[in-house]
Amino acid sequence: MTPPQTSVVIPAYNEAQTVADVVRVALLLTPEVIVASDGSSDNTAGVARAAGATVVELNPNVGKGPALHAALKAASGEYVLMLDADLLGLTLGHLNIMLGPVVSGRLDMSIGIFDGGGLMTDLGNKLTPHLSGQRACRRAWLLGVPGLGEERWPEPAITDALKRGGSRWDYVELPGLAQVMKEEKRGFWKGVGYRSRMYVDLLGYGRRRNKKKNT
């Protein structure tokens, strides 16, 4: 059997409410949809499996970077689409918008930005577009990003690799796509705390990278 040319990888932590919808849309593009359930305490793995995804289960929770790396290792496509598991309003059109410039050879990576999906998700995504979890590229390139499987949040490592490697990349708008806010999923104060810890970890990427170079 010929492996699918494109794989979709979805790191997920406690996303049982939304992951099935994301999986079902991804399956319209390719039969190889892989969800890495990162120590989820809900039924994320079971829901994703029932929706048709291949599921990799990680225990305990290790972070989005290691989960993404595990999903990529389980994939076989030449091209890969990376998606968050809490997307709202995802369509096949969104996937093609991201994948098209990469398959055509115009870009090495496309990064999806929400447009018109909701005030808060649009605002957050456009203020920090380099942190978007919606991306398309060649799987081999993404697997080669230094520290990808070690960083709890992989986006800074990916951005660093894009800039240092002289890759061609650009943002593409994804009309009508949104995401469940952390404050909605976890409650306001827990969500704020989670978001704050995430940004502290993201901001510490440069320090960790320099420390590794000096050891």
Side-chain angles (χ1 to χ4, degrees):
M1 180 178 177
T2 303
Q5 187 180 35
T6 300
S7 304
V8 175
V9 293
I10 308 171
Y13 172 63
N14 287 350
E15 302 291 0
Q17 297 299 312
T18 53
V19 68
D21 288 340
V22 177
V23 167
R24 281 191 282 265
V25 174
L27 285 169
L28 298 175
L29 179 75
T30 174
E32 186 164 275
V33 178
I34 299 172
V35 172
S37 178
D38 182 22
S40 299
S41 58
D42 66 0
N43 195 31
T44 292
V47 169
R49 196 174 283 115
T54 298
V55 177
V56 178
E57 295 192 61
L58 288 74
N59 284 295
N61 174 269
V62 287
K64 186 176 180 180
L68 172 61
H69 191 261
L72 289 169
K73 294 289 284 184
S76 62
E78 179 181 358
Y79 300 99
V80 66
L81 271 165
M82 172 181 161
L83 299 175
D84 288 332
D86 57 357
L87 297 175
L88 300 173
L90 182 68
T91 68
L92 178 60
H94 293 134
L95 306 185
N96 287 324
I97 287 171
M98 288 188 285
L99 192 60
V102 176
V103 173
S104 71
R106 184 169 67 84
L107 296 177
D108 296 309
M109 174 175 280
S110 64
I111 304 174
I113 301 299
F114 302 148
D115 181 50
L119 176 62
M120 294 309 294
T121 50
D122 277 15
L123 180 62
N125 210 213
K126 289 177 178 178
L127 286 174
T128 55
H130 56 289
L131 299 181
S132 172
Q134 312 350 297
R135 298 169 185 250
C137 64
R138 289 182 181 271
R139 186 173 65 93
W141 183 91
L142 195 51
L143 276 169
V145 170
L148 181 74
E150 302 165 16
E151 288 291 321
R152 187 164 189 85
W153 301 99
E155 289 82 6
I158 295 172
T159 299
D160 191 37
L162 285 171
K163 292 179 178 179
R164 290 174 180 270
S167 300
R168 298 162 302 159
W169 58 279
D170 203 355
Y171 299 113
V172 295
E173 291 188 344
L174 304 175
L177 186 61
Q179 191 170 36
V180 181
M181 300 292 289
K182 291 175 175 56
E183 291 79 1
E184 294 178 60
K185 290 188 283 189
R186 296 173 171 82
F188 181 77
W189 290 113
K190 284 186 178 179
V192 168
Y194 185 88
R195 188 180 296 280
S196 298
R197 291 191 295 275
M198 178 183 72
Y199 282 123
V200 167
D201 189 83
L202 289 166
L203 290 169
Y205 169 75
R207 175 180 51 78
R208 292 190 297 274
R209 183 196 63 199
N210 292 335
K211 186 177 180 181
K212 286 179 184 177
K213 285 183 178 179
N214 296 327
T215 56

